[in-house]
């Protein structure tokens, strides 16, 4: 390409056809598919291992552009896919999550995972379901110390565009503050998934025998608990969920004064009565 710069404009001439020599492999670009495959490998193994794998894949003296890969190519791919970001392993969310889970498997915090589009050994779990169960050593210690007093299960919804939900199992520490003892991340919350969660907790720390079990007003958490572990002495509903249910049902009353009077009866000093 020849470019001529003038005072007010520039012009160029170029030849769009390669002439005079053949295209050299080392001057060609990697295909999009090759770049994505390499990016997925960068998430999990060192650069030198990637280069060794590619060199070993040469067969019948057939050289392609990928076989001429250099470390600089790997650095370029790492940068373009934003793999330097500690929170994001890959611009493709599924690959990024798989990479994080693979790293987690090497730690003591990993209990179980089931990726999407993979079959499960548990009946009732679909191929498209996602399950990840985490318990750090510190959480394990807290469960062992305080898990025989009170445990609480709740869910946090609307965390991301994929509909994944966070379900922590909490205990009360020495300051009577709630502290997460284990985490379940899943795209659904039914009895099957919750039972899997409890099963791995039980395998990790042994039999839990809390006096009190607290949850929201759905039955999935509690039913799974008594199926896998054992019935507690007391079962409580979370005050916030009870209050929300009362407020929702108060809308069935048309008279405003009646509504206010009944809600005042249901609470004591701003707290839900009977909880």
């Amino acid at each position: 390409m020849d470019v001529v710069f003038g005072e007010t404009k520039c012009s160029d001439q170029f030849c769009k056809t390669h002439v005079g020599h053949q295209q050299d492999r080392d001057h060609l670009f990697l295909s999009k598919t090759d770049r994505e495959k390499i990016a997925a490998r960068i998430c999990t193994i060192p650069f030198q291992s990637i280069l060794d794998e590619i060199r070993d894949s040469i067969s019948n003296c057939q050289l392609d552009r990928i076989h001429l890969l250099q470390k600089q190519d790997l650095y370029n791919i790492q940068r373009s896919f934003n793999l330097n970001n500690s929170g994001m392993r890959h611009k493709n969310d599924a690959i990024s999550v798989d990479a994080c889970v693979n790293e987690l498997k090497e730690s003591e915090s990993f209990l179980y995972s089931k990726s999407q589009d993979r079959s499960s050994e548990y009946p009732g779990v679909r191929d498209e379901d996602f399950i990840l169960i985490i318990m750090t050593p510190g959480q394990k210690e807290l469960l062992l110390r305080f898990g025989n007093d009170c445990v609480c299960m709740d869910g946090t919804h609307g965390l991301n565009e994929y509909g994944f939900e966070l379900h922590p199992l909490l205990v009360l520490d020495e300051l009577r503050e709630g502290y997460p003892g284990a985490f379940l991340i899943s795209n659904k919350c039914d009895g099957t998934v919750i039972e899997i969660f409890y099963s791995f907790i039980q395998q990790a720390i042994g039999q839990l025998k809390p006096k009190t079990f607290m949850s929201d007003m759905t039955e999935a958490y509690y039913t799974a608990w008594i199926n896998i572990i054992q019935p507690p002495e007391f079962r409580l509903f979370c005050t916030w969920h009870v209050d929300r249910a009362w407020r929702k049902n108060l809308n069935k009353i048309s008279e405003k004064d009646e509504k206010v009077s009944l809600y005042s009866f249901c609470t004591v000093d701003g707290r839900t009565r009977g909880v």
Side-chain angles (χ1 to χ4, degrees):
M1 176 182 292
D2 292 327
V3 180
V4 178
F5 292 93
E7 293 183 0
T8 59
K9 65 178 181 178
C10 66
S11 60
D12 66 86
Q13 293 181 336
F14 73 98
C15 180
K16 65 180 181 179
T17 304
H18 224 67
V19 295
H21 61 87
Q22 294 183 345
Q23 293 186 10
D24 297 327
R25 290 188 182 90
D26 54 346
H27 292 150
L28 297 177
F29 291 107
L30 286 166
S31 69
K32 180 181 178 182
T33 301
D34 285 340
R35 286 170 59 83
E36 289 179 347
K37 288 180 179 179
I38 293 169
R41 301 300 287 157
I42 290 175
C43 295
T44 56
I45 64 175
F47 280 7
Q48 191 56 51
S49 297
I50 296 173
L51 295 174
D52 291 342
E53 284 184 358
I54 292 172
R55 302 289 188 270
D56 293 340
S57 68
I58 301 175
S59 60
N60 298 326
C61 297
Q62 178 64 40
L63 280 176
D64 294 319
R65 171 60 181 88
I66 194 172
H67 296 127
L68 303 175
L69 201 71
Q70 303 293 326
K71 274 194 177 180
Q72 186 57 51
D73 295 315
L74 298 180
Y75 283 119
N76 293 339
I77 293 172
Q78 184 184 55
R79 183 174 60 253
S80 65
F81 280 83
N82 197 30
L83 301 181
N84 293 20
N85 187 325
S86 60
M88 180 186 291
R89 304 297 190 273
H90 196 284
K91 69 178 183 180
N92 180 296
D93 288 342
I95 296 176
S96 181
V97 170
D98 282 344
C100 290
V101 171
N102 287 334
E103 292 177 11
L104 192 62
K105 286 179 180 179
E106 304 300 322
S107 72
E108 298 179 38
S109 303
F110 176 82
L111 294 186
Y112 175 76
S113 71
K114 188 267 173 197
S115 302
Q116 289 182 300
D117 299 325
R118 295 180 184 175
S119 59
S120 170
E121 65 272 32
Y122 294 99
V125 177
R126 304 167 301 177
D127 289 354
E128 61 267 28
D129 290 334
F130 176 84
I131 303 172
L132 177 61
I133 301 173
I134 303 170
M135 178 196 295
T136 67
Q139 290 176 323
K140 180 178 180 179
E141 181 181 346
L142 280 175
L143 275 177
L144 289 170
R145 288 179 60 190
F146 303 109
N148 291 330
D149 178 18
C150 176
V151 298
C152 177
M153 276 293 298
D154 202 356
T156 304
H157 313 281
L159 296 177
N160 54 62
E161 60 186 291
Y162 302 105
F164 289 2
E165 301 176 359
L166 174 65
H167 305 273
L169 175 70
L170 301 105
V171 294
L172 295 177
D173 62 16
E174 63 269 17
L175 301 177
R176 308 308 287 171
E177 296 287 342
Y179 192 93
F183 293 113
L184 164 67
I185 302 173
S186 180
N187 62 311
K188 69 175 184 178
C189 175
D190 61 6
T192 299
V193 173
I194 300 300
E195 286 186 10
I196 294 171
F197 181 44
Y198 293 157
S199 296
F200 278 93
I201 292 175
Q202 189 167 252
Q203 291 177 28
I205 66 172
Q207 186 73 30
L208 275 175
K209 299 178 181 179
K211 293 180 181 178
T212 305
F213 181 91
M214 178 182 285
S215 68
D216 62 19
M217 301 182 71
T218 60
E219 292 297 317
Y221 290 137
Y222 183 72
T223 301
W225 184 272
I226 61 177
N227 286 343
I228 298 300
I229 303 181
Q230 66 176 26
E233 187 176 348
F234 303 102
R235 180 193 181 187
L236 299 180
F237 293 129
C238 175
T239 302
W240 185 87
H241 289 283
V242 173
D243 184 71
R244 185 178 67 168
W246 275 340
R247 287 174 181 270
K248 180 179 179 181
N249 282 281
L250 282 173
N251 291 326
K252 299 175 182 177
I253 301 174
S254 57
E255 293 294 330
K256 183 178 179 180
D257 291 341
E258 245 185 276
K259 189 183 297 186
V260 172
S261 176
L262 182 57
Y263 184 72
S264 298
F265 175 78
C266 292
T267 58
V268 179
D269 297 329
R271 294 178 296 174
T272 304
R273 184 189 296 270
V275 176

